[in-house]
Each structure stands twice: as C-alpha cells, then as structure tokens.
Amino acid sequence: MIDLDENTVTDATLAQMATTSDPRLKEIMDAAVRHLHAFAREVNLTPAEWLQGIAVLTEVGKACTEVRQEFILLSDVLGLSAVVNALHDKKAQELGTQSSLLGPFFREGAPELPLGANIVSSFKAEEIAMYGQVTDNNGKPIPNALVQVWQTNDEGWYDVQAHEDASMDMRGNFRTDADGRYYFRTVRPLGYSIPMDGPVGRLVKLQGRHGMRPSHVHVLITADGYRELVSALYFGDDDHIGSDTVFGVSASLVVEAKDNADCPIPGLRSVRYDFRMPAASATDTGRVGADPAAMMKAAE
Ligand code: BEZ
Ligand code: FE
C-alpha cells in the first residue's frame, strides 16, 4: 500500500487507467487527468471551491434544453470552442474560407428558399443584400451547394428568442446556381448579448465582461466532395468587433455593407463574400457544434 499525496495520486490514477483499450480515449483521459490535477494544485483548490465548481456544472447541465446548449456556451466563453475550431481548420487537407463558431442557434430543417428571397419576416432597420460565389480553392464555381444562413433580427434576437412558438425566421437555406452564386435579402442584424440569464452569464458578469457578440450572419455550406464549411461574416463597424465574448471573429471574415454595382439584387446596400470550399479528406473531424435539439435527443 502506498501513501498517496497530492502529487503521487496523479501517477496512481494514470496507472489505473492504463488498461483503457481505446488508444484515443486513453490519450484524452490521461491528459485531462494530468491537467486537472495540475490545475487543482496550481490554485490550491479548496473543498468549498471544488463543490462550487460542481454546483455550477450541475446548473449548466440543467440549463440545457431543446433550444439552448449551456455547455457549448461555457466552452465558447472560455475560448475552448475557438481553440477546437482553429485545430479543426489546421487539420484540413487544404485551407478554404476560415471557419467560425456554429454557436447554439443553428437549427436543422430551416426553409429552403429561392435565390433572392428575404429571410426576415418583419424588420424596421436597413434591408441589405448578401451575395457571392461558392468555389473550390482554385476558384472553380460549385453549383448546387447548400448555403444555410441564420442571424439575429434588427433587435438582436434569434427566432427562438423572438417568437414564442419558435417558428423559423431570420434563417434560410439556399442552393447555389449554375455559376456557384448565392444571393438573398435580409436585414442588417444587430449585435447581441450571449444568453446572460444562466450560470454562464453569471460567470461572465462576475468576470466584468460585457457578454456581447458583434453583429454577424452565420453560414454553413455543404457540397458533395467538399469539407463542410461552418463560418460567419462579421460587420466591421460594430462596437464589439474587437472584443467578441466567444472569440469567433477573424480579420478575413469581417465585412461591410456598401453599394456594389455587380450585386444581383439592385437598390440595396450589400455584402459580397465569396466562400472557398476545401476538398473533403479522410482527416475531416466533424462539425464544431450541433443543433441543441439534436443533442437532447442523443442524450435520451
Ligand atoms: C452565436 O453566434 O450565435 C453564438 C455563439 C456562441 C455563443 C452564443 C451565441
Ligand atoms: Fe450568432
């Protein structure tokens, strides 16, 4: 029998877990144990703090619903989702458009709309157009790509927050035309606060952070033979463009609405953005995010 102390318990735990047959599970759990123990030692974690941490995680779990994934939100505000996103991009066989967070408001089954349609049912702010081309990494157009977009309205709410019946709004799915082009009308979205009424919001407030995300439009593009692209376009003139609470902004994804002579929808200020899809490869590691409803179903 060995006498374990706060240091030797780490090796004892790793030794006991050495029988794990799945090598990737072993790698992940070994590292998790090493880092968790080192973290507790570094901050000299007290029993009260340990219990408080467990209470917070319990609350985070309880806050998860069909339309809200509080664990993903926690990962987001800690920058973990952005790290996983960046690692995912690095593994791509070739780099296309930079990716960004899927976020908790993606929903499967949004309406498929004709090119040029407006995705917003009612609005008071400026109507704008968004358009561009979906191509491969060499600029070859990709027809029939599925471009899914979703955003907040001009008051900063997603449909699940704005409509009591959670009807689909401010989102739509478009198919690119024969030249790989997409175009649609929308309203300029307002930047918004991440949900602050739960345990994650409480943490963010305790940290003195503003909790805001700059105005953006999410995209998820899929096409046969290409790696799925999860990204978002961010409006550069938003006050929070440099301090996104969930670290989703990259310089290459910053856009502005302006007069563009080649916009297929005339008479509106517009955002042009061309998306480059990297080729699919065996090293693709999946989507960084999920529809909360699908996650609830999987957990049943
Ligand atoms: C979003 O962009 O929808 C989002 C991302 C992370 C946390 C909250 C919202
Ligand atoms: Fe968003």
Side-chain angles (χ1 to χ4, degrees), residues 119-236:
I119 62 169
V120 181
S121 64
S122 79
F123 53 91
K124 297 192 195 85
E126 181 190 2
E127 187 181 21
I128 59 169
M130 298 194 68
Y131 73 107
Q133 215 177 11
V134 178
T135 71
D136 72 5
N137 247 355
N138 299 315
K140 184 175 135 238
I142 304 177
N144 207 36
L146 180 64
V147 180
Q148 304 189 57
V149 297
W150 67 104
Q151 63 167 80
T152 53
N153 62 14
D154 47 10
E155 296 178 341
W157 302 114
Y158 282 96
D159 52 6
V160 290
Q161 303 167 307
H163 303 318
E164 257 174 33
D165 63 357
S167 54
M168 299 259 186
D169 199 359
M170 290 85 79
R171 64 182 75 229
N173 299 348
F174 297 92
R175 290 273 172 192
T176 54
D177 68 12
D179 298 317
R181 279 193 293 255
Y182 74 91
Y183 46 99
F184 60 94
R185 295 163 183 263
T186 185
V187 66
R188 197 192 135 130
L190 195 65
Y192 59 88
S193 166
I194 62 158
M196 295 291 273
D197 57 345
V200 174
R202 226 173 42 236
L203 173 67
V204 166
K205 276 187 221 151
L206 281 171
Q207 292 172 326
R209 297 160 71 181
H210 54 58
M212 297 297 288
R213 293 217 70 200
S215 166
H216 60 275
V217 177
H218 293 271
V219 293
L220 195 169
I221 307 180
T222 44
D224 286 347
Y226 296 92
R227 189 181 217 239
E228 177 180 85
L229 175 67
V230 176
S231 195
L233 301 179
Y234 295 88
F235 288 86

Side-chain angles (χ1 to χ4, degrees), residues 83-92 99 227 284-286 288:
V83 170
V84 175
N85 237 9
L87 291 171
H88 178 64
D89 271 4
K90 258 178 130 177
K91 279 201 199 98
S99 67
R227 189 181 217 239
D284 286 349
T285 47
V288 191

